[in-house]
Amino acid sequence: MTILGKKQMSEEDIKLNFITPAIQRGWKGHITMETRITDGRINIRGNIVVRSKPKFADYLLYLNDGKPIAVVEAKDNNHSVSHGLQQAMTYAQMMDLPFAYSSNGDAFYEHDFLTGQEQQIALEKFPTQDELIARYYAELNGGKGISALEKKIVTQPYYSSQSTYPPRYYQRNAVNRTVEAIARGQQRFVAITGDTVKNQVVPLPPLAEQKRIVAKIEELLLLVDRYAVAYEKLEQFNAKFPEDMKKSILQYAIQGKLVEQRTEEGTGEELYQQIQVYKKNLIKDGRLKKTRALEPISEAAIPFDFPQPWKVCYIDDIAFVTKLAGFEYTKYIADNLVADGIPLFKGKNVQNGKLVLSFESYIPKSISDELPRSQIAKKCLLTPYVGTIGNIAIFDGSFKAHLGSNVGKIELLNSDIQTFVLEEYVLWYLKSTYGYAELTKHKKATAQESISIDAIRNVIIAIPPLEEQYRIVAKIEELLPLCDRLRK
């Protein structure tokens, strides 16, 4: 039993608990982890010489000590199974490996360079050492396989001693290609003789220039380590910059600094009063249950000044916030699950700000209709209250669904004929630094993070006039893709 859900695990946790055990079941003593492939490219910029980050492979699997045949790249479980495949394929091409794999702890995804085929493999079905080597031998030479003589030569381990160093990947590639060519009978060599060396053309600058070249090289190489530290900091800044820029844009947006305020658009207070009239009518008609009154919002609870036309209130003032009650699940749902019907949204269906429309459980429509409070019948926001707290996404209302375990619903009090608050505005508000802090401020630090539905109701939110909401959302959706482009 693990103390964290997969979505809360880091990449190292996923490797430890899922990927490494799956590989080790069939591979003994022929695995290395975090294997350095390169030392990092040396970059010369004017008088500055710096070294890029070295490349490491998460797992290398070997036929023998000089012949790796597969690379495995791991990602955390918030990524797809195949997310790391391109990186694995890049490493495989660098090292002349026939097989590349990626995994997120759910399964493996394979690319076979000998056949060009790709496939997903269940975690427990990862090929053993014997199975993969047998496939390698069978697929060589265009699928004709390998002869006994070729196998004898190819499987011969490298010579090594205490005074030798392991070859770099390109040196190993050259040796392996040569050995494999010999094994296939392609015994062609380029002879290097004394005359070859004597006849080599070497550009020769004047002696004074030679001295200047040597002096400059020695000067620059001494600066490599000094500049490497500064370059590393710059790389870290560049890596963080797009995400930091996103956070700044969202924070500017919810502080009213991203678009202008226009007096002709009215005020958030006017909008708020319209919502309260609509809410009272819903309660009067029995379509909404009255919630307990919340404490007035103090000035101390708001860390900065919102624009004067905006209305500061609680989410409970402008939305119906609920979940599937435990007794509802026990009494109505647990014994009525079906293979097809109304899908149940669970906490795991909200990932990285998006909905995963792959459902594990369904209930009959008649059961869903008996529980109208927890139905999902119109556009709303869904957010887990157990697991990844602060994760939130919009359900567009395009089909009927129902709340399942560990996920709450924020259904804004918009009527069929009038919109008061945009779901998109609330989404971006809650994704901002301040909004996220509000949503998670009552988070309980247990084995699995959790908050109460009341904690969601108590989130403080500032509401601009409706037209300004539209302009804020449009500007955010214009700018954020530009931040994503910076990553590339």
Side-chain angles (χ1 to χ4, degrees):
M1 176 182 175
T2 56
I3 62 171
L4 292 175
K6 270 189 179 180
K7 298 299 180 189
Q8 285 73 54
M9 289 185 178
S10 67
E11 181 180 307
E12 291 303 312
D13 293 329
I14 291 293
K15 287 161 64 177
L16 175 65
N17 290 286
F18 298 99
I19 300 175
T20 301
I23 295 174
Q24 284 184 326
R25 276 195 289 268
W27 291 78
K28 304 297 181 185
H30 284 70
I31 310 170
T32 59
M33 296 178 64
E34 289 300 313
T35 307
R36 185 190 290 261
I37 303 173
T38 70
D39 290 331
R41 176 182 296 175
I42 294 176
N43 303 288
I44 300 177
R45 300 175 183 176
N47 290 334
I48 299 175
V49 182
V50 294
R51 192 181 281 279
S52 298
K53 289 181 180 179
K55 297 183 184 297
F56 292 88
D58 288 333
Y59 301 85
L60 283 181
L61 310 181
Y62 295 79
L63 187 153
N64 59 43
D65 62 355
K67 182 70 177 175
I69 62 169
V71 59
V72 183
E73 279 303 304
K75 298 295 176 186
D76 65 43
N77 200 249
N78 292 300
H79 294 88
S80 66
V81 173
S82 61
H83 189 82
L85 187 64
Q86 191 58 53
Q87 183 180 352
M89 290 172 64
T90 298
Y91 290 169
Q93 289 171 317
M94 289 173 62
M95 295 185 285
D96 267 0
L97 309 184
F99 303 103
Y101 296 89
S102 68
S103 179
N104 67 349
D106 286 340
F108 290 92
Y109 205 87
E110 175 193 83
H111 181 90
D112 184 335
F113 283 93
L114 297 175
T115 65
Q117 299 296 310
E118 292 186 354
Q119 61 174 326
Q120 184 165 309
I121 302 170
L123 208 62
E124 68 276 8
K125 297 292 185 181
F126 188 79
T128 66
Q129 182 178 346
D130 291 341
E131 290 169 347
L132 198 61
I133 291 174
R135 273 180 57 192
Y136 169 61
Y137 288 153
E139 293 173 2
L140 282 172
N141 299 322
K144 296 177 182 178
I146 189 171
S147 69
L149 177 59
E150 285 180 83
K151 185 185 293 187
K152 182 178 180 180
I153 295 174
V154 168
T155 56
Q156 186 71 23
Y158 278 5
Y159 165 78
S160 64
S161 72
Q162 292 182 343
S163 60
T164 61
Y165 294 93
R168 297 182 182 273
Y169 76 89
Y170 49 84
Q171 295 169 325
R172 182 166 53 203
N173 289 350
V175 172
N176 284 336
R177 288 173 186 170
T178 302
V179 169
E180 289 163 10
I182 294 171
R184 291 192 297 269
Q186 299 173 355
Q187 299 185 21
R188 292 175 291 178
F189 298 92
V190 177
I192 299 177
T193 65
D195 286 339
T196 304
V197 176
K198 284 190 290 184
N199 293 331
Q200 182 68 39
V201 176
V202 179
L204 188 65
L207 180 60
E209 186 175 350
Q210 293 178 42
K211 291 180 179 179
R212 294 199 306 275
I213 290 171
V214 171
K216 179 57 69 174
I217 290 172
E218 291 176 347
E219 173 192 343
L220 294 177
L221 289 180
L222 288 174
L223 296 173
V224 169
D225 289 338
R226 184 185 306 171
Y227 284 108
V229 175
Y231 184 73
E232 179 71 18
K233 290 181 179 178
L234 179 62
E235 290 286 281
Q236 291 173 359
F237 172 79
N238 288 337
K240 290 175 57 183
F241 181 74
E243 196 61 36
D244 288 346
M245 180 60 73
K246 278 187 176 183
K247 291 179 180 178
S248 295
I249 289 169
L250 293 181
Q251 194 61 27
Y252 261 63
I254 67 118
Q255 288 184 239
K257 298 178 180 179
L258 196 60
V259 301
E260 64 177 339
Q261 281 79 50
R262 298 173 183 172
T263 55
E264 66 271 19
E265 292 176 348
T267 67
E269 177 65 36
E270 294 167 352
L271 202 62
Y272 174 80
Q273 293 303 330
Q274 293 176 55
I275 296 171
Q276 299 316 298
V277 170
Y278 179 61
K279 184 176 182 180
K280 286 177 182 177
N281 289 333
L282 290 176
I283 294 171
K284 181 179 178 181
D285 294 342
R287 290 187 289 160
L288 185 66
K289 185 179 178 181
K290 187 176 182 178
T291 55
R292 64 180 178 83
L294 300 174
E295 293 290 328
I297 299 172
S298 67
E299 290 187 8
I302 305 171
F304 46 81
D305 292 330
F306 289 105
Q308 189 275 329
W310 291 22
K311 172 64 178 180
V312 179
C313 60
Y314 292 108
I315 278 187
D316 190 56
D317 293 324
I318 61 167
F320 171 50
V321 182
T322 192
K323 67 173 183 176
L324 178 71
F327 82 89
E328 290 177 324
Y329 181 84
T330 304
K331 183 176 179 180
Y332 295 95
I333 291 179
D335 296 329
N336 289 296
L337 296 175
V338 292
D340 192 20
I342 303 296
L344 295 179
F345 269 102
K346 299 182 179 181
K348 64 179 68 176
N349 290 107
V350 185
Q351 296 182 19
N352 300 320
K354 296 181 180 179
L355 294 183
V356 178
L357 300 180
S358 176
F359 301 101
E360 296 178 349
S361 306
Y362 300 83
I363 57 175
K365 181 178 181 299
S366 58
I367 296 295
S368 178
D369 289 342
E370 288 188 57
L371 303 168
R373 187 182 57 81
S374 49
Q375 276 185 322
I376 307 175
K378 58 186 292 189
K379 190 174 183 180
C380 63
L381 297 105
L382 299 176
T383 186
Y385 58 85
V386 175
T388 311
I389 306 304
N391 202 359
I392 189 165
I394 293 176
F395 172 68
D396 63 8
S398 59
F399 59 91
K400 287 188 175 181
H402 210 96
L403 292 177
S405 58
N406 300 339
V407 65
K409 172 179 72 169
I410 303 173
E411 190 176 287
L412 296 174
L413 298 178
N414 294 319
S415 74
D416 294 334
I417 60 172
Q418 186 174 4
T419 298
F420 301 113
V421 181
L422 300 178
E423 285 81 5
E424 291 79 6
Y425 171 77
V426 176
L427 174 73
W428 293 123
Y429 184 96
L430 294 176
K431 284 189 171 186
S432 72
T433 301
Y434 174 72
Y436 176 82
E438 273 293 302
L439 189 57
T440 59
K441 65 185 177 184
H442 296 301
K443 182 170 64 177
K444 299 171 186 174
T446 54
Q448 274 196 303
E449 295 177 346
S450 66
I451 56 174
S452 67
I453 288 297
D454 278 340
I456 301 174
R457 294 181 179 127
N458 293 356
V459 167
I460 295 172
I461 187 168
I463 304 299
L466 182 60
E467 292 304 316
E468 188 174 346
Q469 293 178 45
Y470 277 112
R471 289 187 286 110
I472 289 171
V473 170
K475 180 59 72 172
I476 289 173
E477 292 178 351
E478 173 192 344
L479 295 177
L480 292 195
L482 300 180
C483 296
D484 291 329
R485 285 168 57 183
L486 291 173
R487 297 178 188 276
K488 304 171 184 179

